[in-house]
Amino acid sequence: MWIAEGWKDYEVIDCSEGEKLERWGKYLLVRPDPQVIWSTPKTEKGWKKMNGHYHRSAKGGGEWEFFDLPEQWTISYKDLTFQLKPFSFKHTGLFPEQAANWDWFSEKIKQAGRPVKVLNLFAYTGGATLAAAKAGASVTHVDASRGMVGWAKENARSSNLESSSIRWMVDDCVKFVEREIRRGNHYDGIIMDPPSYGRGPKGEIWKIEDAIYPLVKLCAQLLSDQPLFFLINSYTTGLAPSVLSYMISTEIGSKFGGTVQSEEVGLPVTRTGLVLPCGASGRWWA
C-alpha cells in the first residue's frame, strides 16, 4: 500500500461505525466512509466536538450539519496551499491520500533533467496539477466542470503558481484526448483520476468499468517518444489493483517497457496506527 504520511495540516484521527473523524487544519469533520465497517469505542473527544458532520441519508446522498465552521479555509501540503469548502456528497475539494502520488511523480519530474509536459485528466480541484507544476512541469489541466476548474485556479493562486505554465481546459476528457491525438500533441506524463460515474459538459455518460480501458488505449497514443510516467487512480472497488496493472501493462508497458506497479492508497489513522484504504492507483514509469 502507498501511504500518504507527509501531511501536517490533515489527519485521520479515528474511524468507527462507518465514519471517520478528520482534522483539516484546525477544524474537525466527521464524514461517512464505506470501508469503515468495524465498531470501536469513540473515545476521542473530537467525536463530540466536531465542526462539521456529513449525515448519510437512507434514501441516498445526505447533508452537512455545521458547528462553527467557516464557508472556506485553507490547508497546506509542503509548498502547496488548497482552498477547502464542504460541498455536495461529503466532499471538501481535496483527496488527501493522493499526496502519496504527488510525491511520487514530483520526484520523476525533478529528476528528468529535461522539460516535462504533463496531462491531468478529470483534474478536479487541481491537487495533482499543482504538484506537477511545482515540480517544474508544464501541465494541461482538463475537467468537465467549469466550477472545478475555477476552484483549481484558486488553488493555483493560493500556491503562488499563477504564472506557472498551466493550461486550463473545461472539456470532456475523452473528446479532448481524441482532439489532441488529431493535433499531434504529446505528453511525457499522463495522470487520470476518473470518477466511477459521471457526466460530461453536454451530458455525456461516463461509467468507469466501460470507459477506462478505451481511454487508456487512446492516451497511449498521446505519450511522447520518451515518456516519464503514467498514473491511474480508481475509487471503484470493482477495479482491483491487479486490473489496473494489467490494463497499463497491456497498453503502456508493452510499447515502452519500464515498470508497472499497482497498490491500494491509504491514510494513517492516528488513534489506532492502522491505515485506512482509499482506493487504488496504477503506476507506470520508464
Side-chain angles (χ1 to χ4, degrees), residues 10 22 30 32 58 65 81 157 180 183 200 208 224-225 260 271:
Y10 171 85
E22 305 165 289
V30 173
E65 181 182 14
T81 299
R157 285 191 290 272
E180 288 290 86
R183 293 176 188 128
I208 193 168
S224 63
D225 292 337
V260 176
R271 190 186 74 83

Side-chain angles (χ1 to χ4, degrees), residues 244-262:
L244 297 178
S245 283
Y246 191 75
M247 270 197 307
I248 298 170
S249 296
T250 301
E251 295 302 324
I252 312 297
S254 62
K255 183 177 181 182
F256 295 103
T259 304
V260 176
Q261 188 178 356
S262 299

Side-chain angles (χ1 to χ4, degrees), residues 9 79 116 127 140 177 198 201 274:
D9 280 3
D79 296 330
V116 175
T140 298
V177 168
L274 301 176

Side-chain angles (χ1 to χ4, degrees), residues 113-269:
R114 57 185 169 97
V116 175
K117 286 178 62 182
V118 171
L119 174 63
N120 186 13
L121 299 170
F122 310 96
Y124 195 52
T125 58
T129 294
L130 302 190
K134 185 68 82 171
S138 300
V139 187
T140 298
H141 173 110
V142 188
D143 198 280
S145 166
R146 188 172 298 278
M148 288 299 135
V149 174
W151 193 338
K153 289 180 180 179
E154 275 189 69
N155 287 335
R157 285 191 290 272
S158 299
S159 300
N160 297 314
L161 286 167
E162 280 182 285
S163 59
S164 294
S165 48
I166 302 173
R167 182 167 62 134
W168 306 101
M169 307 297 298
V170 179
D171 207 342
D172 176 81
C173 288
V174 176
K175 291 180 179 177
F176 179 82
V177 168
E178 290 171 340
R179 284 197 294 274
E180 288 290 86
I181 291 169
R182 291 195 294 270
R183 293 176 188 128
N185 287 335
H186 294 94
Y187 296 88
D188 305 299
I190 296 178
I191 300 162
M192 62 173 78
D193 202 343
S196 300
Y197 180 87
R199 291 184 180 272
K202 297 180 180 176
E204 303 92 337
I205 291 176
W206 166 276
K207 192 177 177 187
I208 193 168
E209 293 92 334
D210 300 331
I212 187 66
Y213 184 62
L215 180 57
V216 172
K217 287 183 73 171
L218 286 173
C219 286
Q221 300 176 56
L222 278 184
L223 288 170
S224 63
D225 292 337
Q226 289 183 297
L228 205 56
F229 67 87
F230 192 95
L231 171 66
I232 302 176
N233 293 311
S234 170
Y235 298 95
T236 304
T237 52
L239 290 182
S242 55
V243 174
L244 297 178
S245 283
Y246 191 75
M247 270 197 307
I248 298 170
S249 296
T250 301
E251 295 302 324
I252 312 297
S254 62
K255 183 177 181 182
F256 295 103
T259 304
V260 176
Q261 188 178 356
S262 299
E263 301 282 355
E264 285 186 292
V265 180
L267 288 163
V269 181

